[in-house]
Amino acid sequence: MKTENPPLPFGYSAVPPGKLATVVTCLEMLAPPAPNSRAENGSLVAEVWNSPGLEDYRSLFRAVGEDWMWVSRLVMADDQLAAILDAPLVEIYVLKDSERRIGLLELDFRNQGECELVFFGVVRDAIGKGAGRFLMNHAIEKAWSRPITRFWVHTCHFDSPAALPFYQRSGFVPYASMVEVFDDPRLAGQAPKNASPHVPLIEP
């Protein structure tokens, strides 16, 4: 997803009321990395999630991403979301600890020769316990099991501060930066007012 965009002006730019602006970093790996040891936790398992129900999917999406301003799938029309979740070249996995759902992984192979790591994360109380490494190892294994030449992901500064270095340790290399501007979902009631507390809420 390498695109050419007009250059941003130097200095400060005002963000319109009700909008949020975040700096996005795009990363890629062009070959499988050296194997990374799996988390030593026999209770973890990553299961393929075929055609998940919309409410079940959004519930896990919210549980994993509410702290990090994940909103795109919450505001997407049902038919659009269903088309993605049912697409043959989109693979969705749920990470379970025993029977509890604690993580979400989504891989998109719809662009020939590449895989996008669309969504990746674990719930708040699973962070720092090896679950993320276990799920990333699974993601890398599944992505490179297909005939691809590129595996890529993007993250932003609304995400966990540990996300970018984690991706780099996993073998991804930054190749581009972008600025994204979007509506603050907390003002429209699409996310709780206390969601993503590290992102200032500026009410009109």
Side-chain angles (χ1 to χ4, degrees):
M1 198 189 73
K2 295 182 179 179
T3 59
E4 291 187 7
N5 297 300
L8 294 172
F10 287 102
Y12 294 99
S13 297
V15 177
K19 307 289 185 182
L20 294 173
T22 183
V23 176
V24 178
T25 300
C26 300
L27 307 98
E28 63 185 1
M29 63 170 69
L30 303 180
N36 197 318
S37 61
R38 285 191 177 273
E40 296 297 327
N41 189 330
S43 64
L44 294 177
V45 60
E47 295 181 351
V48 65
W49 200 8
N50 291 315
S51 299
L54 298 184
E55 291 310 309
D56 278 350
Y57 176 89
R58 284 178 173 141
S59 177
L60 182 58
F61 183 93
R62 186 180 293 109
V64 171
E66 188 169 86
D67 285 344
W68 316 117
M69 200 55 71
W70 285 21
V71 295
S72 59
R73 296 294 171 79
L74 303 180
V75 301
M76 184 178 287
D78 286 354
D79 58 342
Q80 291 179 300
L81 179 56
I84 294 172
L85 301 184
D86 294 338
L89 293 177
V90 174
E91 296 182 0
I92 301 167
Y93 297 87
V94 58
L95 180 65
K96 291 184 175 180
D97 187 352
S98 297
E99 289 304 309
R100 182 188 173 211
R101 293 173 176 171
I102 65 166
L104 178 66
L105 166 65
E106 187 171 325
L107 302 174
D108 189 338
F109 295 92
R110 288 179 293 178
N111 285 337
Q112 187 174 4
E114 66 180 44
C115 176
E116 180 185 0
L117 179 59
V118 186
F119 291 107
F120 173 91
V122 299
V123 298
R124 182 187 307 166
D125 64 322
I127 293 173
K129 299 178 181 178
R133 174 52 55 202
F134 182 95
L135 190 59
M136 178 57 75
N137 289 348
H138 185 80
I140 292 170
E141 178 184 335
K142 292 299 180 181
W144 289 103
S145 69
R146 295 205 181 207
I148 65 169
T149 57
R150 179 172 179 258
F151 187 25
W152 70 278
V153 64
H154 68 263
T155 186
C156 74
H157 81 270
F158 288 168
D159 206 344
S160 165
L164 182 57
F166 176 82
Y167 288 134
Q168 292 178 283
R169 288 195 306 273
S170 299
F172 290 96
V173 177
Y175 69 87
S177 294
M178 297 182 288
V179 174
E180 181 182 11
V181 179
F182 58 96
D183 293 327
D184 190 331
R186 298 167 297 186
L187 296 177
Q190 296 161 331
K193 289 283 184 76
N194 62 353
S196 304
H198 61 301
V199 181
L201 175 63
I202 301 176
E203 302 200 54

